Amino acid sequence: MLYALYINFMSISISAIKITRMKEEDEIKPTTYSTSEKIIKTVVLVLTWVMIGLFTEITGPTQKDLIIKTDSDYELVSRAISGRSVGYFIGAVIGGPLVDKLGKYCDLMIAVCLDGGAIATIIAPYCTDISLLWFLFVLAGTFEGVINIAGQKIILNLWKEKATGPLHVLHFGFGMGSFIVPQIANPFLAVLAPSGGNSTNTTIAPSVTPPLISSTIASSAETDIYLKESRIESAYLIVGIIVASLSIVFYIYQFCCRQISEEEKESNEKETMVRKVVKVVDPATCANGDRWFGVQVFVLLFLYFFNAVGGERLYGKFIRSYAIDKHKFSGDDGSLINTEFWICFAIGRFVGLFTGRFIPIRVLILIEVFGALVTAVLLEIFARESDLALWILTAPMGFFVAPLFPSGIGWGDFHVEFTGSAITFVLMGGALGGMSYLWVIGYLYEYQGYDMFLHQMVGYGGIVVFFTILLTIVGMRHGGRFETKGANDYDNEMDVKGNEADDMKIEQQGLGVHVISKEDDDQQSPPNYADVVSYTNNVDTSSETDGYSNTYM
C-alpha cells in the first residue's frame, strides 16, 4: 500500500515539474510577429530611411549655397559635410553596444535619433562658421549611425535568412528621400546670373528684391553675381519638420506595442565582464567559432564598405556642382541631373528586392560592382566634354551604386551572424570611407580641376571590384551559414539523438531510480516504478517527438 502511494506521489511530482518547466519555457519564448506585422514594421522602417535620405542628402543640392553662407570654398565646405561621416563613425561605435545590450529599446533609439537629426538639420543653415557647421553635421551623422544599426538589426531579426530582399527595400527608402530632397530645396537655392556682359547687372537690378547679391569665391578671381538670394533655411526647416514627425510612430511602437526580441543564447552567469567583452568583439562569436574566417570576412567587409560608401557620397554630393562648373548647366538643370541620379539610385535598391530573391548574393554583388566600374570608365571617356553623355551615364551610375550597401550587409549576414557589434564594425568602414573620399575630392576639385571628380570615380570602381572579388573567394571557400545549415545541423541532430539514446539508461542517484527507454520497456515483464516514470515522461508530446523519454530533474 505504501509502495503504491509512493509510486503515485513520485509520478505526480514528476508531472508537476514537467508542467512548471513548460510554463517557464513559454514565458521566455521570444515574441514573434505575424507576416502582416512584419510587413507593416518594414514599411515604417523604409520611411525611416526616407527621412535619413532627406536630412543627410540635403547638403548635395545646397552645397553651393553653403559656400555662399560661409563665404568659403569647395575644400572647406566638403570638409564640413564630411563631418556627417565622422558622426556616422561615432554613431556606429555607440550604436552597436547599445543595440546588443538594450535590444528591446531599438524603437526608442530610432525615435530619439530622428528628433536629434531634425534639430541639427534645422540649425545648420544658420551657421556661418565652418567649424560649427562641421559640428552640426557630426551630430546628424551620429544620429544616422545609431538609426542604421538599430533599424538593420530589427530587419535581420524580423526576416532571418530571408532578409536580403527586405534589406534592399529598406535602403530603397534612402534613395527615395535623396531624390525628393532636391525638389524641396530647389525653390530656395540661389540663382547665378548668366555671364554675358556688364549690362546684366543694370538691367535686372531694378526688378530684383533684394538687389543682386555679389559673392567672391576663394577659388576664382572673379565675382559671381546672383539673381536670387539663397533661402535654404526654409528648405532645411521643412526637412526637419518632416523627419521629426515620423518619430511619433516609433514612440508608439516602443510604449504601446509588444516588442520583438531575438532568442537569447544560454550564457554562464559566472562569466566575468572581461570575458563577455572579449566574446562581443571576438570574430569567432559571429563565425560559429571559426576565428580566422571571421577575421577575413570582417576586414574585407570593412574595406568594401570604406569604398562603397565613399563612392556613393562622392557622386551624390558633387554631380550637381560638376555639372554646373564644368558643363555650365543652369542651377535648375544641375538640380535635375542630381535628381536623376537619386531616382535611379532608388530604382536600383527597389530592384534589389526581386534580384535578391532569385540571384545568389555572391553573383548579385559581382554584377553590381562591375556595373559601377564600367559606368565610371564610360563617364571618364565620354562625359568629360559631352553634356548628353553625362545625362545618360548618370542613370546607370545611380542604379549600380545603389545596391552595394544593402548587398554588402546581405553578403555578410549570409556568411556570418551579424550582431549589433558586427554591423557597427562594417559601418565604421563606411563612415571612414565617406569622410576620406569627401576630403580628397574637396582638395582635388578645388586645386587640381573639375575633371578630378571623374578620375576619382574610376579609382573608386576599380578598388571596390578588387575587394568584392576577394570577398567572393573567401566566401566560396568557406560556404554560407544558411547553405550548410541544413546538412550539418541534420547530422548534428542525429548525433545528439544517438547520444541521448546511449545515455537513456541512467542511474538517478538521488532517488535510486533507473530510467529506461521505450524499447527496453517492451522487454520488461511486470510494470514497476521505472515503467511509471518512463510512461510519465512519454506523456509530454509538446517536444519529445524523437521517440525517447527525457527526465526533468
Side-chain angles (χ1 to χ4, degrees):
M1 183 68 178
L2 291 175
Y3 182 70
L5 290 173
Y6 177 71
I7 291 177
N8 291 331
F9 173 75
M10 292 303 301
S11 300
I12 295 171
S13 299
I14 294 173
S15 299
I17 293 173
K18 292 171 67 63
I19 293 172
T20 303
R21 185 64 62 88
M22 291 169 59
K23 289 182 178 179
E24 291 176 353
E25 290 176 352
D26 290 338
E27 289 176 358
I28 65 174
K29 185 177 181 181
T31 302
T32 57
Y33 283 167
S34 64
T35 302
S36 59
E37 289 176 320
K38 289 180 180 180
I39 294 174
I40 293 173
K41 189 65 175 285
T42 301
V43 170
V44 173
L45 287 169
V46 170
L47 291 176
T48 305
W49 259 248
V50 173
M51 300 302 109
I52 293 177
L54 289 177
F55 79 80
T56 60
E57 293 304 325
I58 193 172
T59 54
T62 61
Q63 185 185 51
K64 295 181 76 68
D65 291 70
L66 291 174
I67 292 175
I68 298 171
K69 294 284 184 182
T70 57
D71 193 22
S72 58
D73 56 27
Y74 281 109
E75 182 183 14
L76 293 177
V77 169
S78 295
R79 290 185 180 182
I81 294 174
S82 71
R84 171 199 169 190
S85 297
V86 177
Y88 195 76
F89 183 93
I90 297 171
V93 172
I94 296 173
L98 277 177
V99 169
D100 284 341
K101 188 70 175 177
L102 304 171
K104 62 181 180 179
Y105 296 108
C106 282
D107 293 315
L108 181 60
M109 294 180 202
I110 295 175
V112 172
C113 289
L114 284 173
D115 289 336
I119 293 171
T121 301
I122 293 172
I123 298 174
Y126 294 97
C127 298
T128 58
D129 181 73
I130 285 290
S131 299
L132 184 56
L133 186 64
W134 177 86
F135 175 74
L136 287 171
F137 286 142
V138 169
L139 284 180
T142 302
F143 294 129
E144 179 197 0
V146 176
I147 293 172
N148 246 296
I149 294 177
Q152 290 182 111
K153 187 60 178 175
I154 292 174
I155 285 291
L156 294 176
N157 287 343
L158 281 174
W159 297 100
K160 305 296 182 183
E161 68 273 11
K162 299 178 181 179
T164 300
L167 277 172
H168 279 85
V169 176
L170 182 71
H171 291 278
F172 160 72
F174 179 83
M176 288 183 62
S178 299
F179 82 72
I180 291 172
V181 76
Q183 309 313 311
I184 296 175
N186 197 51
F188 306 102
L189 300 178
V191 176
L192 183 66
S195 57
N198 296 332
S199 60
T200 304
N201 194 5
T202 56
T203 303
I204 302 178
S207 62
V208 177
T209 306
L212 296 175
I213 299 98
S214 299
S215 177
T216 304
I217 304 301
S219 59
S220 67
E222 61 182 17
T223 300
D224 291 328
I225 309 298
Y226 291 91
L227 300 178
K228 188 174 72 172
E229 184 182 6
S230 173
R231 295 183 293 115
I232 57 173
E233 296 87 354
S234 300
Y236 279 69
L237 177 62
I238 293 171
V239 168
I241 293 173
I242 295 173
V243 171
S245 64
L246 185 65
S247 66
I248 299 173
V249 178
F250 285 96
Y251 285 120
I252 294 174
Y253 261 116
Q254 182 64 53
F255 298 112
C256 302
C257 300
R258 61 192 179 94
Q259 296 295 309
I260 182 172
S261 60
E262 57 182 332
E263 187 174 358
E264 296 183 1
K265 299 179 180 179
E266 295 182 2
S267 60
N268 185 2
E269 294 181 358
K270 296 181 179 180
E271 202 172 32
T272 63
M273 181 60 66
V274 175
R275 179 61 182 166
K276 290 180 180 178
V277 172
V278 170
K279 185 180 292 187
V280 168
V281 300
D282 188 357
T285 304
C286 301
N288 198 24
D290 191 340
R291 182 173 292 106
W292 174 235
F293 175 66
V295 169
Q296 289 177 303
V297 167
F298 283 113
V299 168
L300 289 175
L301 281 175
F302 183 92
L303 296 172
Y304 168 87
F305 278 96
F306 182 95
N307 291 281
V309 175
E312 172 193 315
R313 301 271 174 88
L314 170 63
Y315 206 91
K317 300 295 184 187
F318 271 83
I319 179 58
R320 182 178 186 272
S321 298
Y322 178 76
I324 293 174
D325 295 334
K326 176 65 187 290
H327 290 267
K328 305 303 179 185
F329 282 21
S330 65
D332 288 341
D333 287 343
S335 297
L336 189 59
I337 196 171
N338 191 38
T339 302
E340 177 198 3
F341 171 77
W342 289 113
I343 289 176
C344 296
F345 187 94
I347 293 172
R349 288 196 167 172
F350 182 75
V351 170
L353 169 64
F354 305 101
T355 56
R357 293 177 63 89
F358 301 107
I359 302 177
I361 188 63
R362 294 197 195 105
V363 177
L364 182 62
I365 198 171
L366 285 172
I367 293 174
E368 292 162 357
V369 296
F370 274 103
L373 174 61
V374 170
T375 305
V377 172
L378 293 176
L379 279 167
E380 174 69 25
I381 296 173
F382 299 108
R384 293 173 65 181
E385 303 297 335
S386 171
D387 295 353
L388 180 61
L390 186 64
W391 278 104
I392 294 174
L393 293 173
T394 292
M397 178 57 72
F399 183 84
F400 286 116
V401 166
L404 294 185
F405 190 98
S407 291
I409 296 290
W411 189 98
D413 189 60
F414 182 78
H415 292 86
V416 295
E417 181 184 358
F418 253 37
T419 63
S421 298
I423 299 175
T424 292
F425 184 75
V426 298
L427 291 188
M428 285 165 55
L432 289 176
M435 178 182 66
S436 302
Y437 268 72
L438 288 179
W439 274 56
V440 171
I441 189 58
Y443 174 81
L444 295 177
Y445 193 88
E446 185 69 31
Y447 298 108
Q448 302 298 322
Y450 303 138
D451 287 332
M452 295 305 299
F453 168 67
L454 297 182
H455 300 340
Q456 192 170 344
M457 286 301 300
V458 174
Y460 146 76
I463 294 172
V464 78
V465 164
F466 173 73
F467 286 117
T468 304
I469 291 175
L470 292 182
L471 280 171
T472 303
I473 294 172
V474 170
M476 291 180 66
R477 291 179 61 184
H478 189 275
R481 65 188 182 106
F482 298 118
E483 279 181 337
T484 59
K485 183 177 180 180
N488 290 346
D489 282 7
Y490 179 79
D491 293 339
N492 293 337
E493 185 178 351
M494 292 299 102
D495 292 341
V496 169
K497 290 182 177 180
N499 293 334
E500 289 178 354
D502 294 338
D503 296 337
M504 193 56 62
K505 295 181 178 180
I506 302 172
E507 290 292 337
Q508 302 293 333
Q509 298 296 336
L511 297 175
V513 178
H514 184 67
V515 183
I516 60 176
S517 63
K518 289 195 298 184
E519 288 80 359
D520 291 336
D521 180 46
D522 295 337
Q523 299 175 4
Q524 300 290 333
S525 42
N528 52 28
Y529 171 68
D531 294 331
V532 176
V533 176
S534 180
Y535 173 77
T536 304
N537 283 310
N538 287 323
V539 171
D540 182 13
T541 58
S542 61
S543 59
E544 280 117 64
T545 58
D546 56 0
Y548 299 107
S549 59
N550 297 321
T551 304
Y552 294 95
M553 298 300 293

